[in-house]
Amino acid sequence: MSLTQEIANLGPWFHNLHLPDGTQTAPNHTLGDFPAFKWQQIESYLPKDLSGWRVLDVGCNAGFYTMELARRGASVLGIDVDPHYLRQAQWVARQFGLEDQVEFRQMQVYDVAHLQEKFDLIWYMGVLYHLRYPLLSLDILSQKMTRLMVFQTLTMPGEDVTPLPEDIDFHGRDIMLENGYPKMAFIEHKLAGDVTNWWAPNHACIEAMLRSCGLKVTQKPGHEVYLCEPDAHSQSSHFGWNNSELLSATGQAWQEAVSAKVGDKNRTLTQ
């Protein structure tokens, strides 16, 4: 069977991969050479040598980013919920001869909470806005990342950021109507014909959510793309106040962790 026929049999393709012989998997993609043009925005911000790095590619699709990171020497775990894309990714890995550096599993992002390992780099592009529970995914991934996260999501228009007070008066909620206040638009029906597009956060919301998960944005290489690192000085409540909620949401024992949450809540409400 010819390479072209194998590609056709594995279609349709959302990732246009340039295979070693120059053949492309989706040369007529409606978005152009996707996701190569996204990669070109980001690649110079990453180490050229990723040898020794363990990488998690969340929503790996047909494995474009997995292959690029593996070609730099990383060991990559690619996860996706769609077995169709995972079959494509496994086939692509064979074309590049990278089978020993990559692994693919059918997993939800929430399942990452139960992995025993941590990752130097988490690649988290094009997934959050497809989730019913987006902040939960960031909470989980932030605990599994040791060096770097590359994050991208669909957004609301605008780059405004409103300075946030430490506390908002109960009757001072008008600040939430400002363009630069952190907010997400909920998509009840469809966006671009896709029923899995649920959320569109604004720029301020993205940065606020990342901070709330103990991360800091260090670079913004392209539109809707954020490079994040763990923030050692973060005052995030993620590891304290809401830890019991995270444990419960991911099917883990939460009863012991809730004692601090309940105690702090009761003191706050009576002061």
Side-chain angles (χ1 to χ4, degrees):
M1 186 184 300
S2 70
L3 194 62
T4 302
Q5 186 59 55
E6 289 187 71
I7 292 171
N9 290 346
L10 286 165
W13 294 77
F14 187 63
H15 279 183
N16 182 39
L17 291 111
H18 296 242
L19 301 178
D21 72 344
T23 304
Q24 299 179 44
T25 57
N28 300 314
H29 201 298
T30 56
L31 297 178
D33 194 4
F34 178 85
F37 67 83
K38 287 285 189 184
W39 170 251
Q40 290 163 7
Q41 295 175 348
I42 303 166
E43 59 175 331
S44 64
Y45 291 83
L46 303 174
K48 292 187 181 297
D49 185 359
L50 291 174
S51 299
W53 284 51
R54 181 62 167 158
V55 177
L56 176 66
D57 184 358
V58 181
C60 63
N61 204 277
F64 178 95
Y65 297 118
T66 295
M67 300 308 144
E68 293 293 346
L69 297 167
R71 288 166 70 181
R72 293 192 177 202
S75 167
V76 187
L77 170 60
I79 65 172
D80 205 291
V81 298
D82 192 332
H84 171 77
Y85 292 139
L86 294 173
R87 285 191 295 271
Q88 290 178 343
Q90 289 162 349
W91 180 86
V92 168
R94 293 194 294 272
Q95 308 311 305
F96 282 98
L98 293 171
E99 303 99 310
D100 293 339
Q101 285 179 244
V102 302
E103 176 189 359
F104 298 101
R105 300 182 198 170
Q106 186 180 22
M107 293 176 62
Q108 298 269 5
V109 62
Y110 314 112
D111 296 328
V112 174
H114 301 283
L115 294 179
Q116 298 305 306
E117 63 177 318
K118 293 194 174 185
F119 300 87
D120 299 285
L121 167 61
I122 292 183
W123 198 270
Y124 192 36
M125 294 186 64
V127 176
L128 181 125
Y129 53 97
H130 292 298
L131 302 177
R132 291 281 292 188
Y133 315 105
L135 190 56
L136 175 59
S137 72
L138 280 173
D139 278 346
I140 291 168
L141 295 178
S142 68
Q143 288 199 355
K144 297 297 183 179
M145 184 197 82
T146 61
R147 296 195 200 189
L148 182 64
M149 177 187 289
V150 177
F151 173 75
Q152 182 272 334
T153 185
L154 175 81
T155 64
M156 297 169 63
E159 297 286 327
D160 295 343
V161 176
T162 295
L164 300 178
E166 286 298 315
D167 194 2
I168 297 174
D169 184 80
F170 187 81
H171 299 290
R173 284 170 282 171
D174 285 352
I175 190 175
M176 298 178 184
L177 298 176
E178 296 185 15
N179 288 336
Y181 188 86
K183 55 173 68 76
M184 282 205 292
F186 178 68
I187 305 163
E188 182 179 0
H189 302 298
K190 297 179 183 178
L191 188 148
D194 189 341
V195 296
T196 72
N197 287 329
W198 289 110
W199 301 99
N202 64 6
H203 168 69
C205 183
I206 292 170
E207 293 197 331
M209 287 195 300
L210 292 169
R211 287 194 301 270
S212 80
C213 295
L215 305 177
K216 62 179 177 180
V217 176
T218 59
Q219 302 278 354
K220 198 169 181 294
H223 178 55
E224 302 180 333
V225 181
Y226 300 77
L227 269 62
C228 315
E229 296 177 358
D231 186 355
H233 305 291
S234 172
Q235 300 300 312
S236 167
S237 62
H238 168 64
F239 299 105
W241 177 263
N242 287 318
N243 191 42
S244 64
E245 189 174 338
L246 172 63
L247 292 172
S248 177
T250 54
Q252 302 176 74
W254 55 267
Q255 286 82 358
E256 182 177 346
V258 83
S259 58
K261 176 177 179 176
V262 172
D264 288 342
K265 178 184 177 184
N266 290 338
R267 284 191 293 271
T268 300
L269 291 176
T270 55
Q271 286 176 350

